[in-house]
Amino acid sequence: MVKPGSPSKILGILAVTQIVSWGTLYYAFAILAPDMQREFGWRAEIIFGAFSWSLLVSGLLSTPIGILIDRFGGRAVMGSGSLLCGAGFVALGFAQGVAHYFIVWTMLGAGMGMVLYEAAFATINREVLHQARKGISTVTLVGGLASTVFWPLTLKLNGILGWRDTWLVYGAIQLLLCAPLHALMPASRHQAASHRPAASVDSHTLNQAVRSPVFWKLAFAFSANSFVFSALSVHLIPMLQQFGHSAVATVFLAALIGPLQVIGRIGEMVFAHRTLPQTVGKITFATLPAALLALLLLGQHAWAVALFCMLYGMSNGILTIVRGTVPLALFGRENYGAIAGAMAGPSLISKAAGPLAVAALIQFDPSPNSLLGVLLAMSVISLWFYLTAVKAAPAGVRVAPL
């Protein structure tokens, strides 16, 4: 039997690669997209639609990627994903026609599924057996710095090099930094049954999990939540301006979201590490509708917008941890990658659909109250699905804090 690798080494590698991967694959696009659209001369639906398509591809591939990590480990899968992302960025730097552009984002979507949080969580679960929850919290805490690092970095590189060479630089970073780091993760096999933590005793297979109503209630809860967060990530600032706030004030208030995500994750690590993940999830899911209700009723007041941004940021930050720990608590460790991947699929599809669906709603009714009403309803539905899921979970699969 091969001993599992050092938890600190694995988590250190994943912390670095998550910052880089989220920064290059997700956050950089918002900075570079306007210049890409100007050069190509395409409509915004094509530029942004390809990015949404990449998120959809990532969601569709999440289950088979999880199965591969369960079987072969994160070193092989995440390392291959970094190579694919690097090649995709290089190809994007030379993109010309629409077909080429969509093919490139298809490659990058597959790469996203192999290197972002879901893949990292599955790797942590497989390799960091006795500290999985702490490992997930640590990696998401550090990963929350991705936008802080890569928004200004991308802006600077774009100003100096232009968008094409910026993508080439990010391709080089994936190939020369992330891929070698993933290759340095220790190779390990599943431990023998006698050495597995107690949480694996009641582990489900993927087939058992998907036949459970608990699985689908959780999947719908995370999916509805992702719809709200993805829609707001694109439409929040214009919506706040419709309440009468200036552009400067709106950007300043929205800037609270990032730091509050990190604060929320620190709070989860410090104060909730002995609390069941299911209980942390109840508070997290309930925070989002409370934040939206405050904005809906009092959005014309700056203090209410600040309150919304703080609650929204904390909820979003902690939810990333909940997404990694609750499936582990309810369905066990043995097939976590496959189960969590299957559960993440609907969420990634919602993440892709949210901004487009809300854009269509705004065309029909531009009122911020209408948009907030829809998002509030989605957040309440999300909370209801989550509460019914954890309430219905059989006692046999509930485990102690991880």
Side-chain angles (χ1 to χ4, degrees):
M1 180 188 72
V2 180
K3 287 184 66 178
S6 164
S8 59
K9 179 178 181 179
I10 294 169
L11 296 179
I13 289 171
L14 290 176
V16 173
T17 59
Q18 286 304 294
I19 289 178
V20 174
S21 294
W22 276 101
T24 57
L25 287 163
Y26 194 81
Y27 292 109
F29 178 75
I31 303 296
L32 300 178
D35 284 352
M36 295 169 67
Q37 184 179 358
R38 276 191 289 272
E39 179 176 326
F40 284 129
W42 299 338
R43 294 181 356 185
E45 293 85 5
I46 296 175
I47 296 292
F48 290 91
F51 181 73
S52 293
W53 165 247
S54 73
L55 298 175
L56 179 60
V57 170
S58 178
L60 294 174
L61 294 178
S62 57
T63 302
I65 290 170
I67 293 172
L68 289 174
I69 292 176
D70 285 339
R71 181 171 300 177
F72 300 109
R75 184 173 76 166
V77 175
M78 298 188 75
S80 299
S82 294
L83 293 175
L84 182 60
C85 290
F89 283 138
V90 171
L92 185 57
F94 292 100
Q96 297 298 329
V98 173
H100 184 184
Y101 185 69
F102 270 82
I103 290 171
V104 168
W105 279 109
T106 302
M107 293 173 58
L108 291 171
M112 287 180 192
M114 299 169 76
V115 301
L116 295 183
Y117 277 146
E118 279 70 29
F121 294 164
T123 301
I124 291 169
N125 167 71
R126 189 179 190 273
E127 312 296 351
V128 189
L129 297 179
H130 296 281
Q131 304 176 55
R133 180 176 178 181
K134 181 180 179 181
I136 288 171
S137 298
T138 301
V139 169
T140 54
L141 172 62
V142 179
L145 300 174
S147 61
T148 304
V149 174
F150 275 87
W151 272 340
L153 176 60
T154 304
L155 192 64
K156 185 71 172 178
L157 288 175
N158 189 39
I160 297 172
L161 303 174
W163 69 266
R164 289 187 181 274
D165 286 342
T166 299
W167 287 127
L168 294 179
V169 169
Y170 287 164
I173 291 174
Q174 284 287 340
L175 294 172
L176 301 178
L177 177 64
C178 292
L181 282 176
H182 286 143
L184 289 174
M185 288 197 297
S188 69
R189 295 187 294 237
H190 287 301
Q191 290 192 330
S194 60
H195 295 280
R196 290 175 189 153
S200 66
V201 171
D202 296 307
S203 291
H204 288 57
T205 66
L206 176 60
N207 287 336
Q208 288 172 333
V210 298
R211 289 199 300 267
S212 168
V214 173
F215 173 92
W216 290 107
K217 288 176 180 178
L218 276 178
F220 288 136
F222 289 125
S223 179
N225 208 286
S226 293
F227 180 93
V228 175
F229 282 122
S230 67
L232 286 174
S233 68
V234 174
H235 298 285
L236 176 61
I237 290 178
M239 180 180 66
L240 293 179
Q241 289 178 297
Q242 285 188 284
F243 279 111
H245 304 289
S246 68
V248 173
T250 297
V251 171
F252 174 78
L253 292 169
L256 294 170
I257 294 171
L260 265 294
Q261 288 185 137
V262 175
I263 290 172
R265 289 168 182 170
I266 294 173
E268 192 277 340
M269 291 181 65
V270 174
F271 299 111
H273 63 282
R274 295 189 181 276
T275 305
L276 283 171
Q278 300 93 301
T279 303
V280 176
K282 291 177 183 178
I283 299 170
T284 305
F285 274 91
T287 301
L288 181 58
L292 289 167
L293 185 61
L295 189 60
L296 178 63
L297 297 178
L298 300 165
Q300 67 273 22
H301 301 290
W303 66 265
V305 175
L307 176 63
F308 163 79
C309 291
M310 289 188 288
L311 292 175
Y312 171 75
M314 285 191 291
S315 178
N316 193 24
I318 300 174
L319 184 74
T320 305
I321 299 173
V322 170
R323 205 172 69 225
T325 55
V326 169
L328 179 57
L330 295 184
F331 295 103
R333 184 182 303 280
E334 189 67 23
N335 299 288
Y336 171 86
I339 293 169
M343 191 174 292
S347 294
L348 292 168
I349 293 170
S350 289
K351 184 181 287 187
L356 299 177
V358 169
L361 173 65
I362 291 173
Q363 290 291 324
F364 177 76
D365 184 353
S367 167
N369 289 336
S370 298
L371 172 56
L372 282 171
V374 170
L375 297 181
L376 177 60
M378 290 292 290
S379 70
V380 171
I381 291 170
S382 175
L383 173 62
W384 181 83
F385 271 120
Y386 180 81
L387 293 177
T388 57
V390 296
K391 181 179 180 180
V397 298
R398 288 189 177 134
V399 298
L402 303 168

